[in-house]
Amino acid sequence: MKKLLLVDHNALLHRCRNALLKTGRKYTTSEGIPTTGVFSYLNALLSIIDNLKPSHVVICYDAGSNERKTQSDTYKANRGPMEPDFVSENRTLLNEGLYALGLESIGIRGYEADDILSTLSHVAQFGNQRFDEIIIATVDQDLLQCVTSKTKVLLWNSVKKQQIMDTDAVVEKWGCYPEDIGMVKAISGDASDNIKGVKGVGPKTAIKICTEADWLPEVIYSHPKLKDHAEVIKANLGLVRLRNCLSVLGPIRWDNYVLGLGLLGDWERFLSDYELSSLAKRIAKTTKLMGLRG
């Protein structure tokens, strides 16, 4: 069975690192190199792979120069600068760790990881080499827009708290279908991305209005509560809807993302260099799980 796992790298790293820091634990090597995020992220990633047993894995990350910020001065303006330790772990150490495990990453300047994840899930479902199942691992509900009959989203909160979201689960949680989430957020706003919606119109009201309008945009925009805010809603749609970046990605060679491309020696050196003893204790299990070659 061909099963593709797509990983929302930055979102997962933030959640894992912050969760561990909140417990008061902070890991460093004997030379003072920060490894809190490295340990917690790799621990979570290996757990996800162990649970899902994918045949292929792609890690997607934010490469910077977000085009959405050129459209809106306030988009994600509520987020502070990244901590130096986070940047060090993300851009250096984890690159080494993922390479040692034989996992490849994709990032495109100007696009968010969400856009890449959405594009790859679409290609995996409808392209020449089709997968039987696609799962996107993230902490971000924006990616629920990608859910289809073959694509599911794993909402990850912790090793012990994970939820697989299929179409039925999305409808139960949101009250609308995955492809309609963008319109709901455009109307009601999205606090996590600092997107201001129509004042006094929350998600439930937005869904009620859209349902009555049969989800037809022009009918929605003409609703008495929304007609004076139509341009704002349209601008918000440009921020919340996921973008296709296939023209930038080019042809995708899925063989580059199959499990089993890592070398055991590289993984052993990585664990030794950064003193990740907890992960080293499970090296036999990891070797089998990831198909590391000796």
Side-chain angles (χ1 to χ4, degrees):
M1 179 178 181
K2 289 180 65 177
K3 181 189 288 190
L4 174 64
L5 171 64
L6 301 169
V7 180
D8 188 357
H9 174 80
N10 287 57
L12 187 61
L13 175 56
H14 271 290
R15 177 64 58 86
C16 293
R17 183 174 180 273
N18 290 340
L20 194 56
L21 288 173
K22 284 180 180 178
T23 67
R25 288 179 287 175
K26 188 174 182 179
Y27 297 152
T28 61
T29 68
S30 54
E31 295 181 350
I33 298 172
T35 56
T36 306
V38 172
F39 167 74
S40 55
Y41 173 91
L42 290 175
N43 190 48
L45 180 60
L46 290 171
S47 172
I48 291 169
I49 292 172
D50 190 20
N51 288 336
L52 298 179
K53 302 292 191 298
S55 58
H56 297 68
V57 179
V58 186
I59 312 294
C60 300
Y61 64 93
D62 296 311
S65 298
N66 190 336
E67 285 186 4
R68 287 179 175 85
K69 290 186 176 181
T70 66
Q71 296 177 238
S72 170
D73 294 335
T74 59
Y75 180 70
K76 292 189 176 181
N78 54 339
R79 302 187 184 186
M82 290 187 290
E83 298 175 42
D85 282 359
F86 176 89
V87 175
S88 171
E89 292 190 82
N90 187 21
R91 296 182 180 173
T92 305
L93 276 65
L94 276 174
N95 280 343
E96 293 183 41
L98 294 173
Y99 174 83
L101 288 171
L103 300 177
E104 293 288 341
S105 305
I106 296 177
I108 303 173
R109 291 186 67 80
Y111 291 89
E112 295 186 27
D114 289 5
D115 300 319
I116 305 171
L117 291 159
S118 173
T119 301
L120 290 176
S121 68
H122 186 82
V123 174
Q125 183 169 346
F126 300 107
N128 291 330
Q129 299 181 51
R130 300 183 182 183
F131 285 80
D132 300 300
E133 185 177 4
I134 303 108
I135 299 178
I136 302 172
T138 184
V139 302
D140 187 353
Q141 294 202 38
D142 283 345
L143 285 160
L144 293 178
Q145 295 177 76
C146 299
V147 171
T148 67
S149 60
K150 283 195 174 182
T151 299
K152 300 174 185 177
V153 168
L154 171 68
L155 286 179
W156 195 96
N157 287 307
S158 69
V159 172
K160 295 182 179 180
K161 190 176 181 183
Q162 304 174 28
Q163 184 180 8
I164 292 285
M165 301 291 290
D166 58 10
T167 301
D168 289 342
V170 171
V171 172
E172 181 179 351
K173 185 177 183 68
W174 274 83
C176 66
Y177 286 96
E179 60 269 24
D180 298 325
I181 290 175
M183 179 62 82
V184 175
K185 287 195 170 193
I187 295 170
S188 61
D190 187 347
S192 65
D193 288 338
N194 203 38
I195 296 173
K196 308 298 181 185
V198 178
K199 189 175 181 179
V201 180
K204 289 184 179 179
T205 302
I207 290 171
K208 184 175 184 296
I209 291 171
C210 292
T211 301
E212 291 173 353
D214 288 328
W215 295 92
L216 298 171
E218 294 309 316
V219 180
I220 293 170
Y221 300 145
S222 64
H223 189 278
K225 288 187 176 181
L226 306 181
K227 63 182 180 179
D228 293 335
H229 309 280
E231 294 308 312
V232 171
I233 296 170
K234 291 175 185 178
N236 286 348
L237 274 173
L239 299 175
V240 301
R241 281 186 169 161
L242 304 177
R243 303 176 179 182
N244 188 300
C245 54
L246 185 59
S247 61
V248 184
L249 274 173
I252 300 166
R253 296 179 57 104
W254 291 114
D255 287 349
N256 293 334
Y257 306 104
V258 68
L259 277 187
L261 300 180
L263 297 177
L264 176 57
D266 289 338
W267 181 238
E268 288 176 330
R269 277 189 294 275
F270 174 78
L271 297 177
S272 176
D273 288 346
Y274 297 108
E275 301 169 15
L276 297 168
S277 56
S278 295
L279 292 176
K281 290 177 182 177
R282 294 176 298 186
I283 198 162
K285 181 179 179 180
T286 302
T287 299
K288 182 178 180 182
L289 175 67
M290 301 301 296
L292 299 178
R293 293 168 289 154

